[in-house]
Amino acid sequence: MNKNISLNLLPIEYLTSRLKDKKFYKVQIIGTSVVLVLIFLSSLTFALGIFQSQNIKQVQASLSNTESKIAGYKNVEGSLIIVKNRLQVISQFGELPSKQRESFEKIVSIIPSEMLISSFNVDSSGNVLITVISPTAQLIDEMMEKVLSASEYKFIAKLIIDSLNRGRDGLFRATLKFEITR
Amino acid sequence: MKKEEILNLYNRYRIYIFPILVMAASLVLIVVVILPQTLRLISNNKIQTQLKIQFDNLDVKASTLEEINQEELDRNVNFTLSAFPDHKDFGNIIGILQNLISLNGFIILNFEISESGDSSVKIGDSYTVRVEVLGEREELSSLLNDIETSPRLMKIKNIDVTSGRASDTINSTIAINVFYQPLPKSVGAIDAPLPTLNEKDQEIIGKLEGNKLLPKIDEGLFIPQGKSNPFE
């Protein structure tokens, strides 16, 4: 039976030195790889930055051209703005009755047909001052009761009788003030 | 000697010195190059996106402006400025009110125009017209309605009516706020969106177009062009 016996005749210091070298070699490879990767990343980000700046310059140039084009249509844009602005106001206010007209229409509808309106005044707040001639005081009474009780006349905040008298002709004249809610 | 000493020192501690040098170089590369470049890439990307969006919007605006029919636009401007002018149109309002008053069977007894308007009403600027009319009691409501719904923008300010006992004839003094609004001084920012006319707007233009009460404004009046060379 032949057995192979290996004997290492190299000194221990030589072995230790070789182990150290091996270890350092690994560290060198890792360190160099890291530095190379970082150099690559630096170049990549730098190149991307240049590419991006060029893109931005292109878009800015196109933007500038388009802005000049639009500036040439300033009058058209101005006309459109005028038309739209005017139409918005007309649409919002055109068909809307003023408070004064509303007051006029509503108060006239309250007055019974047997009464005659001898004067009618609507001020700029929509408040109404009317003088009516009525054949009877009862008519005036009924009208006032109707106004004060019915919910459809809630737009009237106050109803004041400024004056009430009976003439020699037997007709009643009353001056009524309607204060309209704001 | 010194060189040998350095080399000996390096060889002895190279397992520590080399990684430290690599770390230092990495740190420098990261801090001086990679990090600032990356941050710049991110912010430039945002800028690029914003610019692209801005460009797209302006491109659409430019195309829309190119396609606009100038004749139709000028007509629309005329109609809207007839209804809601940019100045006090005393001459026009006299004609319009005369027409409305006579259409309702009233006679004009007095006609007064005052430059002051009603600042409580928030519809541009205004001046006041006061008319004294004589006519049938039943027609007053229709006259007031016609005044307020006429294409020329105006609203009743106050009404004063007196009538004789036995007759249906009334004497009425009507104060009317007549509105106008000066033209805007600028069109706004270049990237401001372009206003568009919707169905309701077209409807109103149609009504204004068909209304014979409105006078026609001369073309080119509202935006003075001037000559590029006054000597030609």
Side-chain angles (χ1 to χ4, degrees):
Chain A
M1 276 194 280
N2 286 332
K3 274 189 185 173
N4 284 330
I5 300 168
S6 67
L7 268 172
N8 196 344
L9 299 171
L10 292 170
I12 296 231
E13 294 85 12
Y14 183 72
L15 260 169
T16 320
S17 168
R18 277 192 68 182
L19 278 169
K20 264 190 186 171
D21 282 346
K22 225 177 172 178
K23 203 174 170 185
F24 178 68
Y25 183 63
K26 281 181 192 166
V27 167
Q28 247 187 339
I29 290 188
I30 293 168
T32 312
S33 310
V34 165
V35 170
L36 283 174
V37 163
L38 288 176
I39 289 173
F40 171 73
L41 282 175
S42 307
S43 320
L44 186 68
T45 51
F46 197 69
L48 282 174
I50 293 173
F51 180 67
Q52 202 180 47
S53 298
Q54 280 177 343
N55 271 353
I56 288 175
K57 279 192 183 138
Q58 259 178 1
V59 175
Q60 277 173 336
S62 306
L63 194 62
S64 183
N65 277 344
T66 312
E67 282 177 353
S68 308
K69 218 197 224 178
I70 290 174
Y73 286 103
K74 206 166 53 161
N75 282 345
V76 176
E77 192 176 355
S79 301
L80 261 176
I81 290 172
I82 290 168
V83 169
K84 184 69 183 179
N85 167 264
R86 258 53 180 174
L87 286 173
Q88 267 175 343
V89 175
I90 292 168
S91 158
Q92 194 179 352
F93 294 105
E95 299 287 319
L96 218 61
S98 61
K99 202 173 183 184
Q100 294 82 339
R101 183 160 74 97
E102 261 187 333
S103 300
F104 172 81
E105 313 252 325
K106 284 177 178 168
I107 302 297
V108 159
S109 69
I110 291 172
I111 311 296
S113 53
E114 296 88 351
M115 280 193 204
L116 178 72
I117 304 173
S118 68
S119 78
F120 194 114
N121 174 274
V122 184
D123 67 14
S124 46
S125 309
N127 297 329
V128 176
L129 185 72
I130 64 169
T131 307
V132 292
I133 300 174
S134 174
T136 63
Q138 201 183 351
L139 259 176
I140 299 174
D141 225 7
E142 278 169 10
M143 182 195 75
M144 286 184 60
E145 255 202 61
K146 191 168 80 170
V147 164
L148 294 170
S149 59
S151 56
E152 68 213 72
Y153 302 120
K154 280 212 164 95
F155 65 93
I156 300 170
K158 241 191 241 179
L159 169 53
I160 303 165
I161 305 181
D162 259 4
S163 70
L164 175 62
N165 56 65
R166 190 180 181 190
R168 266 187 252 167
D169 52 8
L171 294 170
F172 291 86
R173 283 165 185 78
T175 302
L176 305 169
K177 187 173 180 179
F178 294 83
E179 276 182 22
I180 308 298
T181 50
R182 295 202 178 275
Chain B
M1 278 299 278
K2 218 173 180 181
K3 205 174 168 182
E4 275 173 27
E5 272 176 27
I6 292 169
L7 269 169
N8 281 339
L9 193 70
Y10 175 73
N11 283 332
R12 214 184 325 163
Y13 296 110
R14 64 184 180 175
I15 196 84
Y16 304 111
I17 294 174
F18 187 78
I20 289 171
L21 286 174
V22 164
M23 261 174 17
S26 307
L27 215 62
V28 164
L29 278 172
I30 290 171
V31 168
V32 172
V33 181
I34 296 174
L35 201 60
Q37 284 292 338
T38 310
L39 290 174
R40 206 159 77 166
L41 278 174
I42 294 170
S43 79
N44 277 352
N45 195 36
K46 282 187 192 153
I47 293 172
Q48 196 175 3
T49 312
Q50 273 171 356
L51 284 174
K52 190 79 190 23
I53 292 171
Q54 218 178 334
F55 170 72
D56 288 341
N57 288 340
L58 287 184
D59 199 35
V60 167
K61 185 174 175 177
S63 312
T64 311
L65 283 169
E66 271 174 354
E67 286 164 10
I68 286 175
N69 184 333
Q70 186 68 51
E71 259 183 57
E72 192 185 323
L73 182 61
D74 286 344
R75 267 205 323 269
N76 291 345
V77 171
N78 280 344
F79 294 139
T80 50
L81 285 182
S82 299
F84 189 21
D86 58 333
H87 61 283
K88 295 175 190 172
D89 56 335
F90 296 148
N92 290 336
I93 202 64
I94 292 172
I96 291 170
L97 283 173
Q98 268 181 332
N99 270 325
L100 288 174
I101 290 167
S102 67
L103 274 170
N104 283 281
F106 281 81
I107 303 166
I108 300 177
L109 300 176
N110 195 18
F111 201 109
E112 208 180 283
I113 299 180
S114 140
E115 289 217 24
S116 65
D118 188 349
S119 57
S120 64
V121 184
K122 308 283 178 224
I123 312 176
D125 298 330
S126 65
Y127 59 92
T128 307
V129 173
R130 204 175 297 272
V131 284
E132 191 184 342
V133 294
L134 189 72
E136 296 287 314
R137 186 193 301 274
E138 287 81 31
E139 300 303 327
L140 182 61
S141 186
S142 164
L143 173 62
L144 296 176
N145 181 60
D146 283 353
I147 288 172
E148 288 208 335
T149 57
S150 85
R152 178 65 181 90
L153 197 60
M154 45 189 170
K155 295 290 167 197
I156 305 292
K157 189 173 173 181
N158 54 51
I159 310 163
D160 205 357
V161 180
T162 51
S163 72
R165 203 197 326 168
S167 80
D168 282 332
T169 309
I170 54 167
N171 183 310
S172 186
T173 303
I174 309 167
I176 306 162
N177 277 325
V178 184
F179 300 103
Y180 68 97
Q181 189 177 64
L183 294 176
K185 290 196 169 69
S186 70
V187 296
I190 202 142
D191 56 355
L194 215 51
T196 50
L197 301 184
N198 53 33
E199 245 182 71
K200 176 95 185 161
D201 294 331
Q202 297 293 354
E203 220 179 279
I204 297 172
I205 290 174
K207 281 188 195 166
L208 294 176
E209 198 175 354
N211 200 293
K212 294 185 174 57
L213 280 178
L214 280 182
K216 301 289 177 250
I217 289 183
D218 291 336
E219 286 178 18
L221 190 68
F222 56 93
I223 299 169
Q225 299 285 326
K227 283 184 180 176
S228 55
N229 183 356
F231 300 105
E232 278 177 13

